[in-house]
Amino acid sequence: PREADTVNAAAELAFKLQRFERARELALELLEMARDSELGWMLGNAQYDGHRILGLIALAQGDVAGAERQLLE
């Protein structure tokens, strides 16, 4: 679970620095962690944060439909 927090924090920072490709990689890693590991109560957080970051990236790049899709996942 602590590793998921670290990946999430790194993805957030990459997004804030507008390093969207790195933020995307980290968000996808977070979603993979949610699929492939036993995060316990952190599972929902990892899924939410991964899709939220992907949605924010899409929105920042003008892809409103893509942002909407991510936020509905």
Side-chain angles (χ1 to χ4, degrees):
R2 181 157 274 184
E3 184 178 339
D5 282 342
T6 302
V7 172
N8 181 45
E12 291 272 353
L13 181 59
F15 176 77
K16 288 177 183 175
L17 294 173
Q18 296 183 358
R19 295 188 56 207
F20 297 134
E21 189 54 40
R22 184 63 180 143
R24 182 184 326 317
E25 291 169 1
L26 291 163
L28 291 173
E29 182 179 337
L30 198 55
L31 291 173
E32 182 141 342
M33 290 172 75
R35 279 191 294 274
D36 295 342
S37 68
E38 298 203 10
L39 294 175
W41 63 270
M42 291 272 311
L43 176 69
N45 291 356
Q47 290 172 332
Y48 169 80
D49 288 329
H51 286 293
R52 182 180 55 81
I53 291 166
L54 290 174
L56 288 171
I57 293 167
L59 193 58
Q61 295 178 331
D63 182 4
V64 175
E68 199 172 90
R69 277 192 305 278
Q70 288 299 326
L71 296 176
L72 292 173
E73 286 284 325

